[in-house]
Amino acid sequence: MDRKDSTIPPGEEEDVVSSMYAHSVGVAAITPMRTKGFSDISGMILRDAPYNSRMMPFHTLGLEKLTQKEQDDILNAAAKSGRTKTRSDIAAMMARGFMDNGGDSTQQRVARKRQISSSDMITKFGYAPQLGYEDLRMAEAVVQHGTKREREASNISDMVMKEIIEEPPITKDLEEFEFTHVGLTSAEAARRIEQYGRNELPEKVTPKWLLFLRQFWAPMPIMIWIAILIEIGIQNFIDMMILLFIQFTNASISFYELNKAGNAVAALKSSLRPMATCKRDGAWSVMDATFLVPGDLVLLGSGSAIPADCRVNSSEIDVDQAALTGESLPVTFYKGDSCKMGSTVVRGEVNATVEFTGSDTFFGKTASLLAETKEHSHLQKILMHIMFILVGLSVTLCLINFIYLMAEGESLKESLSHTIVLLVASIPLAIEIVTNTTLAIGSKALSRHGAIVARLSAIEDLAGMSILCSDKTGTLTLNKMVLQEETPVYSPGENQESVLVYAALAAKWKEPPRDALDRLTLGSVNMDLLADYEQLDFLPFDPNIKRTEGTLRNKTTGAEFKTTKGAPHIILNLLNDSERDVKEDFEAHVAHFGEMGIRSMAIAKMDLKDGKNEWKMMGLLTFLDPPRPDTKQTIIDANKYGVNVKMITGDHLLIAKNTAKVLDMGDKIFDAENLPMLDPLTKQKPTDLGKTYGNLCLAADGFAQVFPEHKYLIVETLRELGYSVGMTGDGVNDAPALKRADVGIAVAGSTDAARAAAAIILTHEGLGTIIHGIVIAREIFSRISNFITYRVRSL
């Protein structure tokens, strides 16, 4: 299996404009056979979304590949629409894929393919495979196209709705992936290891002794070295010893702080295990995992480590991803799912095909973004700026003093000795010691409030932080699905309690919950009500049917029946066509809850003894992950202190908008469609991030459905604009953004890699600790500022 990017899958080349602006172009625009012309594009692009023309800049990559005639054609077509197009508009259309530039379209398709690859995502326990986000996509589709009767009146087929709901772009990369069931030959494996390299994370290790020596080579230490040499020259050994003590004290403090911060790449590598069970030349053997290549067939069994990024060939396994996400509960992976290197199988046994190895794995991509930038902190820049000014003034005045003494007839030794004394006294050589000591004492105060400081200079950064990019799940919210009171029922005599019972009967209620939906259901139902039922058969979740089903017998009456739970549209399709009124009400309810960011799970029942074998809809269970009780007040306090809190989440856009609305965070929540991505080949960030995407990142109150690297690039964009940026995170995927932020904050329960990359580690949950830390940090910085002011004025 050659690992290569392919062209866009069949059916995906349909009009992109229609999917983005369907509200303005009508139903006909979603027809796959409809072909857009330049005049169609010019009539819709930006005119129907005036917001974009103000604050959504686009890059101009590929614009030069258009001929002048093609550009003129677009500009002429735009003039007919009543709005003058600019060259940036042409770039916008090319960036969105609105037209074929007639040149090398492979790179553009590779970039697009990069954005929809599920290998970039981590499946968490809170993600319910029975639902995915299909209930929310159904809500969006119903809002856009209407309920069943309204769609029939508009001639919109059920197939259109099915494609909208069931085929998100993230699953289309499976169409090009080639599963293997026989393994590779040794010769083919040798060829591929030459092509892809070994399955290991590259790491450039700097010896500790070299790190220590580097602390003596910086603007401030150099000034001290010069003073030491002069003291030696005039044989003033007492002052020389004092200066040496100051020099080594400063270096030791800096070296200690550097080592205490930890090595994020080393933390990543420490969670990996080197052995794998692989099939080569038709035989299974245990081998060093560093020699795995893409296309290898590996065995993933209970207790074994996942040696590379793999796709499950068939069946299912439960995987512990604590090293990736910090979650203690396992996640179930089904056929085609991408399980990541560094995880551990806790139940089941499957064959899997290696998809990525080494630097191309999720771990590898993360490690590539953790390189040291060797940038100075804001505090270091301030101190160096002060030192340069003071040294310049001191040298100038001391030189004048030296010339004056020589002119008065003093000896060279006396004049030089007197000048050196003045020079050493005028330069605040101990300013770094006093500053670091003050920060160290302040870090103790922060630790008492649940914030452990890994990098002392982060206290000053925290004091001056202007933007805080916060994760949603577990930071702004409880990270716990809570059942809502609203439970629409569609059969006489049913209520929330009875619907919960039917949902629990469609699960293995005597076993631990398998996913978030089982945990929600079994945690909410009255278990005593289940004692009257015997489970005769159980159909577990399967990606093909997307629901679970239980066959039950009532011990009291002897009645046998089936119950099922799953995504709303899946259960809805089980009903007969005669249930038109139920279907109409059902779709309206799903749309209503979806618009509010509330999730929905459908439950149906079939009586087996009446001979009809017809499914009847019982009801909808609604739930959401609510905000923490103190989050709203915390955000208000943050705004009062001049810190703008932005939500950055991988969750669905509707959920993010609802959370932002509840927390009064603003309504400018966008998806990741217009955000930049790393180059798929070089892994480098786009040029001019701040200039191109700055307005978008500043104007947004948050982003949803983001990939891990989006967080990194959002932070980088805001930093390029000159803002002091904080970032919260907990998983391996957050480590690059935590490392790049001025204030990387690892929340409670974070992975080792996240803690190693962060500057501040929280031991308490929620944002409250951060805001309290800002107050303490500003008090500490005020003390430092007062000392520096006093020291400068005393010269």
Side-chain angles (χ1 to χ4, degrees), residues 124-165:
K124 294 190 176 183
F125 182 84
Y127 176 81
Q130 298 178 38
L131 290 184
Y133 289 117
E134 293 180 1
D135 58 323
L136 297 176
R137 287 196 296 272
M138 178 179 179
E140 291 176 319
V142 173
V143 169
Q144 181 179 357
H145 299 299
T147 57
K148 178 72 173 179
R149 290 192 178 96
E150 293 171 334
R151 294 195 302 271
E152 290 176 349
S154 302
N155 293 324
I156 300 177
S157 67
D158 291 339
M159 184 59 66
V160 171
M161 292 291 289
K162 179 179 173 64
E163 291 178 355
I164 294 174
I165 297 172

CSV table of all heavy atoms in Angstrom, one decimal, residues 124-165:
chain,number,residue,atom,x,y,z
A,124,LYS,N,-12.5,10.8,21.7
A,124,LYS,CA,-12.5,10.8,23.1
A,124,LYS,C,-13.7,10.0,23.6
A,124,LYS,O,-14.7,9.8,22.8
A,124,LYS,CB,-12.6,12.3,23.7
A,124,LYS,CG,-11.3,13.1,23.4
A,124,LYS,CD,-11.4,14.4,24.2
A,124,LYS,CE,-10.1,15.1,24.0
A,124,LYS,NZ,-10.0,16.4,24.8
A,125,PHE,N,-13.7,9.7,24.9
A,125,PHE,CA,-14.8,8.9,25.5
A,125,PHE,C,-16.1,9.7,25.3
A,125,PHE,O,-17.2,9.1,25.1
A,125,PHE,CB,-14.5,8.6,26.9
A,125,PHE,CG,-15.6,7.8,27.6
A,125,PHE,CD1,-15.6,6.4,27.5
A,125,PHE,CD2,-16.6,8.3,28.3
A,125,PHE,CE1,-16.5,5.6,28.1
A,125,PHE,CE2,-17.6,7.6,28.9
A,125,PHE,CZ,-17.5,6.2,28.8
A,126,GLY,N,-16.1,11.0,25.5
A,126,GLY,CA,-17.3,11.8,25.4
A,126,GLY,C,-18.0,11.8,24.1
A,126,GLY,O,-19.1,12.2,23.9
A,127,TYR,N,-17.2,11.4,23.0
A,127,TYR,CA,-17.8,11.3,21.7
A,127,TYR,C,-18.6,10.0,21.6
A,127,TYR,O,-18.0,8.9,21.7
A,127,TYR,CB,-16.6,11.3,20.6
A,127,TYR,CG,-17.1,11.2,19.2
A,127,TYR,CD1,-17.6,12.2,18.5
A,127,TYR,CD2,-17.1,9.9,18.6
A,127,TYR,CE1,-18.1,12.1,17.2
A,127,TYR,CE2,-17.5,9.8,17.3
A,127,TYR,CZ,-18.0,10.9,16.6
A,127,TYR,OH,-18.4,10.7,15.3
A,128,ALA,N,-19.9,10.1,21.3
A,128,ALA,CA,-20.7,8.9,21.3
A,128,ALA,C,-20.8,8.4,19.8
A,128,ALA,O,-21.4,9.1,19.0
A,128,ALA,CB,-22.1,9.3,21.8
A,129,PRO,N,-20.3,7.3,19.5
A,129,PRO,CA,-20.3,6.8,18.1
A,129,PRO,C,-21.7,6.5,17.7
A,129,PRO,O,-22.0,6.5,16.5
A,129,PRO,CB,-19.5,5.5,18.2
A,129,PRO,CG,-19.5,5.1,19.6
A,129,PRO,CD,-19.6,6.3,20.4
A,130,GLN,N,-22.7,6.2,18.6
A,130,GLN,CA,-24.1,6.0,18.2
A,130,GLN,C,-24.7,7.3,17.6
A,130,GLN,O,-25.6,7.2,16.7
A,130,GLN,CB,-24.9,5.5,19.4
A,130,GLN,CG,-24.4,4.2,20.0
A,130,GLN,CD,-25.3,3.8,21.2
A,130,GLN,OE1,-26.5,4.0,21.2
A,130,GLN,NE2,-24.6,3.3,22.2
A,131,LEU,N,-24.2,8.4,18.0
A,131,LEU,CA,-24.7,9.7,17.5
A,131,LEU,C,-23.7,10.4,16.5
A,131,LEU,O,-24.1,10.9,15.5
A,131,LEU,CB,-25.0,10.6,18.6
A,131,LEU,CG,-26.2,10.3,19.6
A,131,LEU,CD1,-26.4,11.4,20.6
A,131,LEU,CD2,-27.5,10.1,18.7
A,132,GLY,N,-22.4,10.3,16.9
A,132,GLY,CA,-21.5,11.2,16.2
A,132,GLY,C,-22.0,12.6,16.4
A,132,GLY,O,-22.3,13.1,17.5
A,133,TYR,N,-22.1,13.4,15.3
A,133,TYR,CA,-22.8,14.6,15.3
A,133,TYR,C,-24.0,14.6,14.3
A,133,TYR,O,-24.4,15.7,13.9
A,133,TYR,CB,-21.8,15.8,14.9
A,133,TYR,CG,-20.8,16.1,16.0
A,133,TYR,CD1,-19.4,15.9,15.7
A,133,TYR,CD2,-21.2,16.5,17.2
A,133,TYR,CE1,-18.5,16.1,16.7
A,133,TYR,CE2,-20.2,16.7,18.2
A,133,TYR,CZ,-18.9,16.6,17.9
A,133,TYR,OH,-18.0,16.8,18.9
A,134,GLU,N,-24.5,13.4,14.1
A,134,GLU,CA,-25.5,13.3,13.1
A,134,GLU,C,-26.9,13.9,13.5
A,134,GLU,O,-27.7,14.3,12.7
A,134,GLU,CB,-25.7,11.8,12.7
A,134,GLU,CG,-24.5,11.3,12.0
A,134,GLU,CD,-24.6,9.8,11.6
A,134,GLU,OE1,-25.7,9.2,11.9
A,134,GLU,OE2,-23.7,9.3,11.0
A,135,ASP,N,-27.1,13.9,14.9
A,135,ASP,CA,-28.3,14.6,15.3
A,135,ASP,C,-28.3,16.1,15.1
A,135,ASP,O,-29.3,16.7,14.7
A,135,ASP,CB,-28.5,14.3,16.8
A,135,ASP,CG,-27.4,14.7,17.7
A,135,ASP,OD1,-26.2,14.6,17.2
A,135,ASP,OD2,-27.6,15.2,18.8
A,136,LEU,N,-27.1,16.7,15.2
A,136,LEU,CA,-27.0,18.1,15.0
A,136,LEU,C,-27.0,18.4,13.5
A,136,LEU,O,-27.6,19.4,13.0
A,136,LEU,CB,-25.7,18.6,15.6
A,136,LEU,CG,-25.6,18.5,17.1
A,136,LEU,CD1,-24.3,19.0,17.6
A,136,LEU,CD2,-26.7,19.3,17.8
A,137,ARG,N,-26.4,17.5,12.7
A,137,ARG,CA,-26.5,17.7,11.2
A,137,ARG,C,-27.9,17.6,10.7
A,137,ARG,O,-28.3,18.2,9.8
A,137,ARG,CB,-25.5,16.8,10.5
A,137,ARG,CG,-24.0,17.1,10.7
A,137,ARG,CD,-23.2,16.4,9.6
A,137,ARG,NE,-23.2,15.0,9.8
A,137,ARG,CZ,-22.4,14.3,10.6
A,137,ARG,NH1,-21.5,15.0,11.3
A,137,ARG,NH2,-22.5,13.0,10.7
A,138,MET,N,-28.6,16.7,11.3
A,138,MET,CA,-30.1,16.5,11.0
A,138,MET,C,-30.8,17.8,11.3
A,138,MET,O,-31.7,18.2,10.5
A,138,MET,CB,-30.7,15.3,11.7
A,138,MET,CG,-32.1,15.1,11.4
A,138,MET,SD,-32.8,13.7,12.3
A,138,MET,CE,-34.5,13.8,11.8
A,139,ALA,N,-30.5,18.4,12.5
A,139,ALA,CA,-31.2,19.6,12.9
A,139,ALA,C,-30.8,20.7,11.9
A,139,ALA,O,-31.7,21.5,11.4
A,139,ALA,CB,-30.7,20.0,14.3
A,140,GLU,N,-29.6,20.8,11.4
A,140,GLU,CA,-29.2,21.8,10.4
A,140,GLU,C,-29.9,21.6,9.1
A,140,GLU,O,-30.4,22.5,8.5
A,140,GLU,CB,-27.7,21.8,10.2
A,140,GLU,CG,-26.9,22.3,11.4
A,140,GLU,CD,-25.4,22.2,11.2
A,140,GLU,OE1,-25.0,21.1,10.6
A,140,GLU,OE2,-24.7,23.1,11.5
A,141,ALA,N,-30.0,20.3,8.7
A,141,ALA,CA,-30.7,20.0,7.5
A,141,ALA,C,-32.2,20.3,7.5
A,141,ALA,O,-32.7,20.8,6.5
A,141,ALA,CB,-30.5,18.5,7.1
A,142,VAL,N,-32.8,20.0,8.6
A,142,VAL,CA,-34.3,20.3,8.8
A,142,VAL,C,-34.5,21.8,8.8
A,142,VAL,O,-35.5,22.3,8.2
A,142,VAL,CB,-34.9,19.7,10.0
A,142,VAL,CG1,-36.3,20.1,10.3
A,142,VAL,CG2,-34.8,18.1,9.9
A,143,VAL,N,-33.7,22.6,9.5
A,143,VAL,CA,-33.8,24.0,9.5
A,143,VAL,C,-33.6,24.6,8.1
A,143,VAL,O,-34.3,25.5,7.7
A,143,VAL,CB,-32.8,24.6,10.5
A,143,VAL,CG1,-32.7,26.1,10.3
A,143,VAL,CG2,-33.1,24.3,11.9
A,144,GLN,N,-32.7,24.0,7.3
A,144,GLN,CA,-32.4,24.6,6.0
A,144,GLN,C,-33.4,24.1,5.0
A,144,GLN,O,-33.8,25.0,4.1
A,144,GLN,CB,-31.0,24.1,5.6
A,144,GLN,CG,-30.6,24.6,4.2
A,144,GLN,CD,-29.2,24.1,3.8
A,144,GLN,OE1,-28.5,23.4,4.6
A,144,GLN,NE2,-28.8,24.4,2.6
A,145,HIS,N,-33.9,22.9,5.0
A,145,HIS,CA,-34.7,22.4,4.0
A,145,HIS,C,-36.2,22.1,4.4
A,145,HIS,O,-37.0,21.7,3.6
A,145,HIS,CB,-34.1,21.1,3.4
A,145,HIS,CG,-32.8,21.3,2.8
A,145,HIS,ND1,-32.6,22.1,1.7
A,145,HIS,CD2,-31.6,20.8,3.1
A,145,HIS,CE1,-31.3,22.1,1.4
A,145,HIS,NE2,-30.7,21.3,2.2
A,146,GLY,N,-36.4,22.2,5.7
A,146,GLY,CA,-37.8,22.0,6.2
A,146,GLY,C,-38.0,20.5,6.6
A,146,GLY,O,-37.2,19.7,6.4
A,147,THR,N,-39.2,20.3,7.2
A,147,THR,CA,-39.6,19.0,7.6
A,147,THR,C,-40.0,18.1,6.4
A,147,THR,O,-40.0,18.6,5.3
A,147,THR,CB,-40.7,19.0,8.6
A,147,THR,OG1,-41.8,19.7,8.1
A,147,THR,CG2,-40.3,19.7,9.9
A,148,LYS,N,-40.5,16.9,6.7
A,148,LYS,CA,-40.8,16.0,5.6
A,148,LYS,C,-41.8,16.5,4.6
A,148,LYS,O,-41.5,16.5,3.4
A,148,LYS,CB,-41.3,14.7,6.2
A,148,LYS,CG,-41.7,13.6,5.2
A,148,LYS,CD,-40.5,13.0,4.6
A,148,LYS,CE,-40.9,11.8,3.7
A,148,LYS,NZ,-39.8,11.1,3.0
A,149,ARG,N,-42.8,17.1,5.0
A,149,ARG,CA,-43.9,17.6,4.1
A,149,ARG,C,-43.3,18.8,3.3
A,149,ARG,O,-43.6,18.9,2.1
A,149,ARG,CB,-45.1,18.0,4.9
A,149,ARG,CG,-45.9,16.9,5.5
A,149,ARG,CD,-47.3,17.3,6.0
A,149,ARG,NE,-48.1,16.2,6.5
A,149,ARG,CZ,-48.2,15.9,7.8
A,149,ARG,NH1,-47.5,16.6,8.7
A,149,ARG,NH2,-48.9,14.9,8.1
A,150,GLU,N,-42.5,19.7,4.0
A,150,GLU,CA,-42.0,20.8,3.3
A,150,GLU,C,-41.0,20.4,2.2
A,150,GLU,O,-40.9,21.0,1.2
A,150,GLU,CB,-41.3,21.8,4.3
A,150,GLU,CG,-42.3,22.4,5.3
A,150,GLU,CD,-41.7,23.1,6.4
A,150,GLU,OE1,-40.5,22.8,6.8
A,150,GLU,OE2,-42.3,24.1,7.0
A,151,ARG,N,-40.2,19.4,2.5
A,151,ARG,CA,-39.2,18.9,1.5
A,151,ARG,C,-39.9,18.3,0.3
A,151,ARG,O,-39.5,18.4,-0.8
A,151,ARG,CB,-38.3,17.9,2.2
A,151,ARG,CG,-37.4,18.5,3.2
A,151,ARG,CD,-36.2,17.6,3.6
A,151,ARG,NE,-36.7,16.2,4.0
A,151,ARG,CZ,-36.9,15.9,5.3
A,151,ARG,NH1,-36.8,16.8,6.2
A,151,ARG,NH2,-37.3,14.7,5.6
A,152,GLU,N,-41.0,17.5,0.6
A,152,GLU,CA,-41.8,16.9,-0.5
A,152,GLU,C,-42.4,18.0,-1.4
A,152,GLU,O,-42.4,17.9,-2.6
A,152,GLU,CB,-42.9,16.0,0.0
A,152,GLU,CG,-42.4,14.7,0.7
A,152,GLU,CD,-43.5,13.9,1.3
A,152,GLU,OE1,-44.6,14.5,1.4
A,152,GLU,OE2,-43.3,12.8,1.7
A,153,ALA,N,-42.8,19.1,-0.8
A,153,ALA,CA,-43.3,20.2,-1.6
A,153,ALA,C,-42.3,20.9,-2.4
A,153,ALA,O,-42.5,21.4,-3.5
A,153,ALA,CB,-44.0,21.2,-0.7
A,154,SER,N,-41.0,20.8,-2.0
A,154,SER,CA,-39.9,21.4,-2.7
A,154,SER,C,-39.1,20.5,-3.5
A,154,SER,O,-38.1,20.8,-4.1
A,154,SER,CB,-38.9,22.1,-1.7
A,154,SER,OG,-39.6,23.1,-0.9
A,155,ASN,N,-39.6,19.2,-3.6
A,155,ASN,CA,-39.0,18.2,-4.4
A,155,ASN,C,-37.6,17.9,-4.0
A,155,ASN,O,-36.7,17.6,-4.8
A,155,ASN,CB,-39.0,18.6,-5.9
A,155,ASN,CG,-40.4,18.6,-6.5
A,155,ASN,OD1,-41.3,17.8,-6.2
A,155,ASN,ND2,-40.7,19.6,-7.4
A,156,ILE,N,-37.4,17.9,-2.7
A,156,ILE,CA,-36.1,17.5,-2.2
A,156,ILE,C,-36.2,16.0,-1.7
A,156,ILE,O,-37.0,15.7,-0.8
A,156,ILE,CB,-35.7,18.4,-1.0
A,156,ILE,CG1,-35.6,19.8,-1.4
A,156,ILE,CG2,-34.3,18.0,-0.4
A,156,ILE,CD1,-35.3,20.8,-0.3
A,157,SER,N,-35.3,15.2,-2.3
A,157,SER,CA,-35.4,13.8,-2.0
A,157,SER,C,-34.8,13.4,-0.6
A,157,SER,O,-34.0,14.2,-0.1
A,157,SER,CB,-34.7,13.0,-3.1
A,157,SER,OG,-33.3,13.2,-3.0
A,158,ASP,N,-35.2,12.2,-0.1
A,158,ASP,CA,-34.6,11.8,1.1
A,158,ASP,C,-33.1,11.5,1.0
A,158,ASP,O,-32.4,11.5,1.9
A,158,ASP,CB,-35.3,10.5,1.6
A,158,ASP,CG,-36.8,10.8,2.0
A,158,ASP,OD1,-37.0,11.9,2.4
A,158,ASP,OD2,-37.6,9.8,2.1
A,159,MET,N,-32.7,11.2,-0.3
A,159,MET,CA,-31.3,10.9,-0.5
A,159,MET,C,-30.4,12.1,-0.2
A,159,MET,O,-29.3,12.0,0.3
A,159,MET,CB,-31.1,10.5,-2.0
A,159,MET,CG,-29.6,10.0,-2.3
A,159,MET,SD,-29.0,8.7,-1.3
A,159,MET,CE,-30.1,7.4,-1.8
A,160,VAL,N,-30.9,13.3,-0.6
A,160,VAL,CA,-30.2,14.5,-0.3
A,160,VAL,C,-30.0,14.7,1.2
A,160,VAL,O,-28.9,15.0,1.7
A,160,VAL,CB,-31.0,15.8,-0.9
A,160,VAL,CG1,-30.3,17.1,-0.4
A,160,VAL,CG2,-31.0,15.7,-2.4
A,161,MET,N,-31.1,14.5,2.0
A,161,MET,CA,-31.0,14.6,3.4
A,161,MET,C,-30.0,13.5,4.0
A,161,MET,O,-29.2,13.8,4.9
A,161,MET,CB,-32.4,14.4,4.0
A,161,MET,CG,-33.4,15.5,3.7
A,161,MET,SD,-32.9,17.0,4.6
A,161,MET,CE,-33.3,16.6,6.3
A,162,LYS,N,-30.0,12.3,3.4
A,162,LYS,CA,-29.2,11.3,3.9
A,162,LYS,C,-27.7,11.7,3.7
A,162,LYS,O,-26.9,11.5,4.6
A,162,LYS,CB,-29.5,10.0,3.2
A,162,LYS,CG,-28.6,8.8,3.6
A,162,LYS,CD,-29.0,7.6,2.8
A,162,LYS,CE,-28.0,6.4,3.0
A,162,LYS,NZ,-28.1,6.0,4.4
A,163,GLU,N,-27.4,12.2,2.5
A,163,GLU,CA,-26.0,12.7,2.3
A,163,GLU,C,-25.6,13.8,3.2
A,163,GLU,O,-24.4,13.8,3.6
A,163,GLU,CB,-25.9,13.1,0.8
A,163,GLU,CG,-26.0,11.9,-0.2
A,163,GLU,CD,-25.9,12.4,-1.6
A,163,GLU,OE1,-25.8,13.7,-1.8
A,163,GLU,OE2,-25.9,11.6,-2.5
A,164,ILE,N,-26.5,14.7,3.5
A,164,ILE,CA,-26.1,15.8,4.4
A,164,ILE,C,-25.8,15.3,5.8
A,164,ILE,O,-24.9,15.7,6.4
A,164,ILE,CB,-27.3,16.9,4.4
A,164,ILE,CG1,-27.4,17.5,3.0
A,164,ILE,CG2,-27.0,17.9,5.5
A,164,ILE,CD1,-28.6,18.5,2.9
A,165,ILE,N,-26.7,14.4,6.2
A,165,ILE,CA,-26.6,13.9,7.6
A,165,ILE,C,-25.5,12.9,7.8
A,165,ILE,O,-24.7,13.0,8.8
A,165,ILE,CB,-27.9,13.3,8.1
A,165,ILE,CG1,-29.0,14.4,8.0
A,165,ILE,CG2,-27.8,12.7,9.5
A,165,ILE,CD1,-30.4,13.8,8.3
